[in-house]
Amino acid sequence: MNLFVADAATFDIEKAVGNPVLLENEMARGLRAIPLANTSYPFLTLVTDRDPDIKLYSQLRFLFRKEIRFMKIDPFAFNAILEQTWPESRGESTTTVKIEDYRAKVVRQVDSGNDDLGGDRNAAPGGSIVEMVDEMFSRAAKVEASDIHLEPTENNVKIRFRLDGALHQIMTIPKSRQNELISRLKILAHMDIAEKRRPQDGRILLESKNKDIDVRVSSMPTLNGEKIVMRLLDKSLQNLDLDALGMKGRNFELFDTAIRKPHGMVLVTGPTGSGKTTTLYAALQKIHSPEINISTVEDPIEYQVEGINQTQYSPAIDYTFAAAVKTFLRQDPDVIMIGEIRDPETAKYAIQASQTGHMVFSTLHTNDAPGAVVRLLEMGMEPFLVASTLTLVIAQRLLRTTCSACGEFRSPKERERKYLERNHVPAIEKVFAGKGCRKCLDSGYRGRIGVYEIMQVTPEVQELITVKAPTSKIRDTALEQGMGTLFHEAMNLVRGNITTIEDVEASIG
């Protein structure tokens, strides 16, 4: 197939004018192709300084939805047209594509009313690829999925939603539509559709009736094609209420008192996906006022909060968590939130900030609250500094809540009884568990709730930290002072008919 304009020699390239409406500047630079605006050809003409192949032709033809041809010119002429088409970008690199700053927009209305998926969950939506992608996003928004996985296999493409921490297969796409499906998503996320060998990242903004959803898109090459994973972040902050998150009673009082102190450090610990960042955002929402200056450094920025100075971690330009905190200290902050303490340098600046009259919020990856102390000491922090700055440590998990539509009381299963015996818990006669229905995708669970282990750094605990007491000793002292363990708090939720013994075992062990 001839991809080039047949009579290109008669075209006056000096009069060529690019069309900036049809293609973004960054994508034109990445593809080295510029659509022309002033031709009389019955097809769309693109100038390029490279030899296009059939793959690039197919991708661009899909992108523009019309027949295309190429006109090859020398690199100097190409760069001249590039600068004429986008004069404001003169001097930018022709190889760097800044996809992290891009916002593609997909506008749709998500139906209210029935909140199950409806229809055959394994059936692929019909129609065009645009309609297929719209339907996928609509279903995900309707059931409040946290992630969408597109997984190419040898024979088809599986689409799975993560709901309440577990993946559920929702639909299957024919293998013949794999390339156009992935290309559509990469175009929306402003990713390079021609690059399939390397991982890429992008973003899409979804708009619905009730909320905006920021979609973080990640692609990865696999044996059967590119796998796409999309994280859906609700920008409305509608669930960032500590009571709705499950923090009540003594735990709420301790946390509320700690976050309002003028200085100190509050740490939230737990594995990935346990809701640590959400808890910190809820704290920021609670203390936010015009009288204080709040600065955050995050990886990535998950919620955009008006009135809070948010900055994004970017190691490519050496803008690390530690570098951000150093800058914050010159910005007159009252409260600093650090997405995660990952290294000794970040820990040092976090402690320094809390010592100099600032309140610091951050996260750590430890299994329980007392373990956070040991983690900081392992990073080389001086025990007396940790003891004097650390105010409160929270360990947390997310437990699935029993579906109210299909939940019913039953006797504990044999496995559940043995689990209670191993953990020396008095027998529980009845548990409230879901049978499985359309609303919960037959899982028996719908929604999640936080369970918290909160350790207050009292004078007694401070003394133990100073002498590098073992974690077991710190834990015993915290328990004597009223700390409830994750397991203890989770069993209270079982007795309150909110979750099941089965999910406690799966989440806490």
Side-chain angles (χ1 to χ4, degrees), residues 201-458:
D201 295 296
R203 299 176 73 173
I204 303 170
L205 176 63
L206 302 182
E207 291 184 348
S208 69
K209 284 181 180 177
N210 304 317
K211 57 190 174 183
D212 291 344
I213 299 174
D214 194 5
V215 183
R216 307 299 172 89
V217 185
S218 171
S219 70
M220 180 184 72
T222 70
L223 177 65
N224 295 303
E226 289 180 282
K227 175 178 178 178
I228 302 285
V229 175
M230 292 173 281
R231 167 65 54 89
L232 279 63
L233 300 170
D234 183 353
K235 297 163 68 68
S236 66
L237 304 176
Q238 60 185 13
N239 297 319
L240 297 187
D241 177 79
L242 291 171
D243 186 66
L245 293 173
M247 191 178 291
K248 304 177 187 296
R250 179 179 182 272
N251 283 344
F252 174 82
E253 291 174 5
L254 287 174
F255 188 56
D256 189 60
T257 300
I259 63 178
R260 296 181 188 278
K261 290 182 179 292
H263 56 82
M265 184 159 60
V266 172
L267 297 179
V268 183
T269 76
T272 300
S274 60
K276 300 186 298 294
T277 303
T278 301
T279 297
L280 290 183
Y281 272 113
L284 294 180
Q285 284 282 96
K286 197 160 189 66
I287 65 172
H288 179 36
S289 76
E291 288 82 28
I292 63 173
N293 177 22
I294 301 176
S295 296
T296 75
V297 54
E298 306 164 55
D299 179 27
I301 296 172
E302 295 191 10
Y303 303 98
Q304 295 179 30
V305 186
E306 186 176 353
I308 292 179
N309 308 294
Q310 297 174 270
T311 183
Q312 185 154 314
Y313 167 88
S314 182
I317 58 172
D318 203 28
Y319 189 60
T320 61
F321 286 125
V325 177
K326 284 177 65 178
T327 302
F328 290 165
L329 293 177
R330 297 190 291 269
Q331 293 278 316
D332 187 30
D334 296 292
V335 178
I336 294 172
M337 188 186 99
I338 307 167
E340 183 185 344
I341 295 178
R342 297 177 178 174
D343 53 66
E345 187 181 15
T346 305
K348 182 183 76 172
Y349 284 114
I351 288 176
Q352 179 183 328
S354 60
Q355 273 189 309
T356 52
H358 308 92
M359 174 52 70
V360 176
F361 299 154
S362 192
T363 70
L364 270 177
H365 283 286
T366 63
N367 290 326
D368 57 14
V373 172
V374 175
R375 182 78 182 100
L376 289 173
L377 297 179
E378 287 175 346
M379 287 184 178
M381 301 302 103
E382 292 290 344
F384 74 93
L385 291 178
V386 175
S388 63
T389 57
L390 196 57
T391 305
L392 196 78
V393 183
I394 304 170
Q396 72 176 69
R397 300 291 189 276
L398 290 176
L399 297 180
R400 294 184 293 174
T401 55
T402 301
C403 176
S404 59
C406 63
E408 61 181 20
F409 287 98
R410 62 165 174 80
S411 299
K413 299 176 182 177
E414 180 65 23
R415 177 187 178 90
E416 293 172 325
R417 286 198 297 269
K418 289 183 177 179
Y419 176 73
L420 295 179
E421 290 173 5
R422 286 197 308 272
N423 288 281
H424 311 291
V425 177
I428 296 176
E429 297 300 322
K430 294 290 182 181
V431 293
F432 187 65
K435 295 185 300 181
C437 64
R438 287 169 61 89
K439 287 185 178 294
C440 63
L441 300 182
D442 297 321
S443 68
Y445 299 95
R446 186 164 174 80
R448 289 191 290 178
I449 190 169
V451 58
Y452 306 91
E453 174 181 285
I454 297 187
M455 184 182 79
Q456 186 180 19
V457 183
T458 61

Side-chain angles (χ1 to χ4, degrees), residues 2-62:
N2 185 13
L3 303 181
F4 294 95
V5 176
D7 57 346
T10 63
F11 184 79
D12 188 354
I13 199 64
E14 292 184 1
K15 295 181 181 178
V17 177
N19 189 338
V21 175
L22 292 180
L23 199 63
E24 294 282 344
N25 175 19
E26 292 86 353
M27 186 172 284
R29 290 174 181 273
L31 297 175
R32 302 298 289 176
I34 306 170
L36 295 180
N38 59 342
T39 70
S40 57
Y41 296 115
F43 42 74
L44 178 64
T45 306
L46 296 98
V47 292
T48 180
D49 60 352
R50 297 179 180 176
D51 290 321
D53 55 20
I54 191 66
K55 184 185 298 184
L56 179 60
Y57 165 80
S58 299
Q59 290 169 335
L60 288 172
R61 188 173 182 274
F62 167 75

